[in-house]
């Protein structure tokens, strides 16, 4: 029915605007939203406490690479959950969710689960992973933790494909790696560096002291060992029901 | 559809016709981020390619039945927004099946459908929610009697076209294949 590696049929005309199509928000809708914001606690969202800018590659086509903006919530010392957006501005599109676990948790996962995850060591050591506007000194202890973690990132809106709206199946994403297909295009990195007035190369040099993990499980970054990526298909099935549907 | 989960949605507008929401399993500070939802107006939904439409569900029943509510927002304000939402369609993915007792987000994303008629929701499950939030779904249902769904009716292709949807993993070759070192050659 739908697949992460199948391009959707074209949308009707009038959808040329890069942003999602739709009318500007009405004053009334702004009022409703503001009211709700005042009246509701919004506790889960308020726990987000870190902005990370980095890059990701589609598992089913690693030539497609995107800049990502992760808003992280640390649930405990071994687990983080992130809302992922395509930019860091107020109109950012929500493109997916990433979960991050410590090496301790990762090692206990079944092998079939592990192959959906990617390692973070290179991404951090290379300077690709940054906390925009956070000074290096403050960033460092967290980076040391993160270098040992693994991530599982589902992308639900393939904006780089030109999708005006979130179409099709979710896609599994992989992390940058120092070998061939895992390398991020220099233009993409350059564009990001310009935006934040940083240099990934300088960051890389400043991070040489961050310890390389002694062991990166080869079930993670599955493509590196096996030359295989993963696509997701959505198919029709029978349902268990309580009452007729729909 | 026998596995049912309570979901707390935190939504932001992209514009008047589209919202994007993060879905948590509770309203507390330690809530787990279990999924996301995109919500579009009927107008945008009708413009989607036909093969995309089954992945979206209608919201009319959830709203008219009272099972969808905005905790802490007074009824009149809530109903004002829900009059709009009742005409929309949503696309939900859950990445974490907490109802299965998973303490980690395992496996593939699941595409979620919404309730579309009476009898589908587990009554005991609903009573529990009513008690915690001090609400009455049946009473609210009367307040919402005037609310109407999509102008053109619920699209027959929406809601999975009436079928269940399942996600499956497919291994593909990395492109270009020869660029990846083979350890087991």
């Amino acid at each position: 029915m739908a697949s992460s590696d199948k391009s959707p049929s074209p949308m009707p005309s009038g959808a040329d605007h890069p942003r999602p199509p739709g009318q500007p928000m009405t004053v009334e809708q702004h009022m409703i939203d503001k009211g709700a914001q005042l009246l509701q606690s919004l506790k889960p969202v308020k726990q987000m406490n870190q902005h990370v800018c980095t890059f990701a590659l589609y598992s089913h086509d690693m030539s497609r690479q995107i800049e990502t903006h992760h808003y992280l919530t640390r649930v405990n010392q071994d687990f983080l959950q992130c809302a992922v957006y395509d930019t860091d501005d107020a109109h950012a599109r929500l493109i997916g969710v990433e979960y991050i676990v410590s090496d301790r948790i990762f090692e206990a996962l079944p092998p079939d689960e592990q192959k959906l995850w990617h390692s973070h060591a290179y991404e951090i050591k290379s300077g690709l992973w940054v906390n925009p506007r956070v000074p290096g000194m403050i960033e460092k202890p967290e980076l040391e933790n993160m270098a040992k973690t693994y991530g599982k990132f589902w992308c639900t809106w393939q904006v780089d494909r030109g999708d005006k709206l979130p179409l099709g199946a979710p896609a599994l994403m992989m992390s940058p790696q120092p070998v061939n297909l895992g390398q991020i295009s220099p233009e993409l990195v350059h564009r990001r560096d310009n935006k934040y007035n940083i240099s990934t190369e300088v960051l890389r040099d400043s991070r040489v002291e961050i310890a390389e993990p002694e062991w990166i499980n080869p079930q993670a970054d599955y493509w590196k060992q096996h030359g295989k990526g993963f696509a997701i298909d959505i198919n029709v099935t029978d349902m268990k029901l309580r009452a007729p549907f729909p | 559809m026998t596995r049912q989960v309570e979901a707390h949605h935190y939504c932001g507008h992209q514009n008047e016709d589209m919202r994007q929401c993060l879905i948590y399993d509770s309203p507390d500070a330690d809530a787990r981020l279990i999924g996301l939802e995109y919500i579009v107006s009927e107008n945008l939904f009708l413009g989607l390619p036909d093969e995309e439409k089954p992945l979206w569900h209608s919201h009319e029943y959830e709203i008219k039945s009272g099972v969808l509510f905005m905790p802490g927002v007074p009824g009149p304000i809530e109903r004002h927004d829900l009059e709009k939402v009742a005409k929309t369609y949503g696309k939900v993915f859950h990445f974490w099946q907490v109802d299965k007792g998973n303490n980690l987000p395992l496996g593939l994303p699941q595409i979620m459908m919404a309730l579309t008629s009476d009898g589908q929701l587990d009554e005991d499950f609903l009573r529990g929610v009513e008690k915690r939030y001090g609400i009455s779904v049946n009473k609210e249902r009367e307040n919402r009697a005037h609310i109407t769904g999509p102008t053109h009716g619920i699209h027959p292709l929406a809601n999975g076209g009436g079928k269940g949807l399942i996600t499956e993993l497919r291994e593909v070759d990395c492109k270009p294949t020869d660029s990846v070192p083979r350890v087991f050659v």
Side-chain angles (χ1 to χ4, degrees):
Chain A
M1 173 175 270
S3 299
S4 57
D5 60 350
K6 196 174 87 185
S7 287
S9 307
M11 302 258 295
S13 59
D16 296 335
H17 202 263
R19 287 292 165 194
Q23 297 297 314
M25 273 177 66
T26 57
V27 172
E28 183 199 15
Q29 189 65 53
H30 274 295
M31 299 281 283
I32 293 173
D33 285 9
K34 282 286 169 218
Q37 219 171 59
L38 286 170
L39 292 160
Q40 300 192 298
S41 78
L42 309 183
K43 270 186 206 156
V45 179
K46 285 182 188 156
Q47 307 308 311
M48 287 184 195
N49 48 17
Q50 240 192 85
H51 167 207
V52 167
C53 174
T54 182
F55 302 90
L57 310 91
Y58 289 89
S59 173
H60 67 261
D61 179 359
M62 299 195 45
S63 65
R64 283 174 54 199
Q65 314 181 332
I66 54 169
E67 180 184 312
T68 58
H69 294 265
H70 286 60
Y71 291 82
L72 283 68
T73 302
R74 181 177 281 286
V75 176
N76 60 48
Q77 203 50 45
D78 292 293
F79 186 87
L80 298 101
Q81 55 196 19
C82 324
V84 186
Y85 294 83
D86 69 330
T87 67
D88 64 355
D89 63 46
H91 295 289
R93 292 173 285 191
L94 175 62
I95 59 168
V97 166
E98 176 162 352
Y99 300 102
I100 298 175
V101 298
S102 66
D103 49 346
R104 198 176 65 80
I105 289 191
F106 183 80
E107 291 299 332
L109 294 173
D112 265 352
E113 175 65 31
Q114 287 175 332
K115 66 186 187 187
L116 305 176
W117 296 67
H118 57 260
S119 65
H120 284 140
Y122 169 74
E123 206 174 336
I124 286 167
K125 293 278 290 175
S126 63
L128 291 169
W129 170 301
V130 298
N131 294 91
R133 301 181 191 95
V134 176
M137 286 295 286
I138 295 172
E139 190 183 49
K140 211 158 198 176
E142 182 69 338
L143 292 178
E144 283 167 0
N145 286 333
M146 286 292 181
K148 284 177 281 201
T149 63
Y150 296 86
K152 185 187 191 185
F153 176 9
W154 294 110
C155 174
T156 50
W157 190 348
Q158 301 190 32
V159 289
D160 65 307
R161 190 167 66 181
D163 293 4
K164 312 288 182 218
L165 289 168
L167 301 176
L172 184 68
M173 306 303 282
M174 292 289 120
S175 61
Q177 296 293 334
V179 290
N180 53 64
L181 284 179
Q183 295 179 48
I184 299 299
S185 108
E187 298 94 89
L188 208 54
V189 178
H190 193 66
R191 205 184 312 151
R192 188 276 301 267
D193 285 4
N194 278 347
K195 176 164 145 191
Y196 291 116
N197 195 21
I198 56 171
S199 157
T200 294
E201 270 171 47
V202 171
L203 287 172
R204 177 179 313 157
D205 294 343
S206 74
R207 293 179 186 179
V208 284
E209 290 149 45
I210 294 178
E212 244 1 295
E214 286 165 27
W215 156 258
I216 294 177
N217 191 309
Q219 272 296 100
D221 317 314
Y222 192 78
W223 63 272
K224 275 170 78 178
Q225 297 285 339
H226 303 86
K228 300 284 185 187
F230 297 105
I232 306 295
D233 298 320
I234 298 179
N235 294 316
V236 171
T237 179
D238 289 328
M239 273 195 290
K240 286 187 211 156
L241 295 174
R242 282 174 195 278
F245 178 84
Chain B
M1 272 202 26
T2 55
R3 284 175 48 208
Q4 309 183 336
V5 290
E6 176 183 335
H8 297 260
H9 293 236
Y10 294 84
C11 303
H13 277 269
Q14 274 281 342
N15 56 50
E16 188 67 20
D17 289 279
M18 188 194 180
R19 313 178 189 208
Q20 53 192 20
C21 316
L22 295 169
I23 306 175
Y24 292 86
D25 70 333
S26 88
D28 305 323
D30 62 353
R32 294 176 287 188
L33 175 59
I34 58 172
L36 52 76
E37 174 163 13
Y38 299 105
I39 298 176
V40 297
S41 65
E42 181 180 18
N43 195 23
L44 288 188
F45 175 82
L46 293 174
L48 293 173
D50 276 354
E51 81 264 13
E52 175 69 22
K53 290 190 175 94
L55 310 183
W56 296 70
H57 58 263
S58 53
H59 284 135
E60 179 180 353
Y61 172 80
E62 269 184 290
I63 288 174
K64 287 193 64 78
S65 68
V67 298
L68 184 154
F69 62 98
M70 300 161 76
V73 176
I77 298 177
E78 183 189 45
R79 283 191 286 278
H80 211 78
D81 194 34
L82 295 185
E83 282 163 15
K84 288 185 187 174
V85 183
K87 300 184 196 307
T88 63
Y89 291 87
K91 184 182 191 183
V92 171
F93 290 110
H94 279 194
F95 311 108
W96 193 343
Q97 301 177 57
V98 286
D99 69 305
K100 268 173 116 179
N102 291 348
N103 56 8
L104 287 168
L106 304 176
L108 300 183
Q110 306 292 309
I111 187 149
M112 306 297 280
M113 288 292 137
L115 302 167
T116 56
S117 72
D118 287 342
Q120 291 169 348
L121 183 63
D122 183 332
E123 287 292 317
D124 292 339
F125 185 64
L126 177 61
R127 294 289 96 80
V129 173
E130 287 186 314
K131 212 170 149 194
R132 260 184 293 134
Y133 288 94
I135 57 158
S136 159
V137 165
N138 282 335
K139 212 174 118 204
E140 185 55 29
R141 186 180 292 216
E142 290 161 23
N143 294 334
R144 297 184 188 178
H146 68 284
I147 295 182
T148 52
T151 313
H152 300 281
I154 294 171
H155 198 285
L157 288 178
N159 299 307
K163 301 275 186 5
L165 300 177
I166 187 169
T167 44
E168 287 168 330
L169 192 69
R170 173 165 44 92
E171 209 171 79
V172 296
D173 284 328
C174 283
K175 295 182 281 186
T177 319
D178 58 5
S179 62
V180 182
R182 302 283 179 137
V183 179
F184 305 112
V185 171

